[in-house]
Amino acid sequence: KNEVEQSPQNLTAQEGEFITINCSYSVGISALHWLQQHPGGGIVSLFMLSSGKKKHGRLIATINIQEKHSSLHITASHPRDSAVYICAVRSGRAGNQFYFGTGTSLTVIP
Amino acid sequence: NAGVTQTPKFRILKIGQSMTLQCTQDMNHNYMYWYRQDPGMGLKLIYYSVGAGITDKGEVPNGYNVSRSTTEDFPLRLELAAPSQTSVYFCASVGGSGVRNSPLHFGNGTRLTVT
């Protein structure tokens, strides 16, 4: 079993739709990160969370530490949001290793 | 700040050749990582370092070596390249876990093909 599970694996939405990507993890963490990777591109950090909720523009990320669950929401989705979204957790153990989900591939259709 | 600088962007190697992927960060981060990303798969940890002079194996270290002589640099060495090492490689860095607001920074990746 993977330490980090994401759902859905693939998601297609019409422009303007509200999108939710879910992430569950099974290890103790010091922080959870949401990352974005455009096709053929690099990986950029969207959010780092250790509790509660964060908002940046149309993106909102929440985390429930007790339930070991996080969600990434995109409001008023746009074709430029098409990318792979990756959930990563930073282990609280020595070495501070990261565990990654396999990503959610989002396609937003105009 | 340049962040994490990774070179080269692309490389084609013949089987048995060797090469070094360079990674430099200018954020004074202690933790640095090398990952490989295969199509449809998540990032797999090759090696990591918690500070200068300290390195350790990750999930898939075979065929690779690293060194960390300075805080800034964390090169990845491929010896005797094999087709199974065809992948996209990412270097990443992050501040200490006591630094609450420390995002994970990635280099732009190296697309390596071994033929």
Side-chain angles (χ1 to χ4, degrees), chain B residues 70-86:
Chain B
T70 66
T71 299
E72 295 78 20
D73 300 309
F74 189 43
L76 177 72
R77 177 84 177 158
L78 276 73
E79 304 282 2
L80 299 174
S84 61
Q85 293 177 303
T86 295

Side-chain angles (χ1 to χ4, degrees), chain B residues 11-19 78 80-87 111-115:
Chain B
R11 185 72 187 266
I12 298 174
L13 283 182
K14 294 189 185 305
I15 294 171
Q17 286 185 321
S18 300
M19 75 165 293
L78 276 73
L80 299 174
S84 61
Q85 293 177 303
T86 295
S87 188
R111 190 172 295 273
L112 174 68
T113 302
V114 182
T115 61

Side-chain angles (χ1 to χ4, degrees), chain B residues 8-56:
Chain B
K9 287 189 179 180
F10 304 94
R11 185 72 187 266
I12 298 174
L13 283 182
K14 294 189 185 305
I15 294 171
Q17 286 185 321
S18 300
M19 75 165 293
T20 299
L21 281 66
Q22 302 291 344
C23 178
T24 299
Q25 53 89 11
D26 61 359
M27 296 167 284
N28 202 32
H29 284 168
N30 289 332
Y31 297 90
M32 296 187 74
Y33 308 88
W34 274 106
Y35 297 99
R36 59 178 288 171
Q37 185 181 43
D38 299 314
M41 308 288 285
L43 291 157
K44 292 190 184 296
L45 181 64
I46 305 170
Y47 270 94
Y48 68 99
S49 170
V50 302
I54 306 169
T55 63
D56 209 345

Side-chain angles (χ1 to χ4, degrees), chain A residues 6 16 32 35 48 62 98-99:
Chain A
Q6 273 184 250
L32 182 143
L35 310 169
M48 193 213 70
T62 64
F98 286 81
Y99 298 95

Side-chain angles (χ1 to χ4, degrees), chain A residues 41-67:
Chain A
I43 302 172
V44 297
S45 178
L46 296 175
F47 293 103
M48 193 213 70
L49 294 161
S50 53
S51 64
K53 175 180 173 178
K54 285 190 177 179
K55 185 175 190 289
H56 181 69
R58 295 179 294 104
L59 274 59
I60 303 165
T62 64
I63 187 168
N64 185 317
I65 297 292
Q66 286 73 30
E67 294 186 5

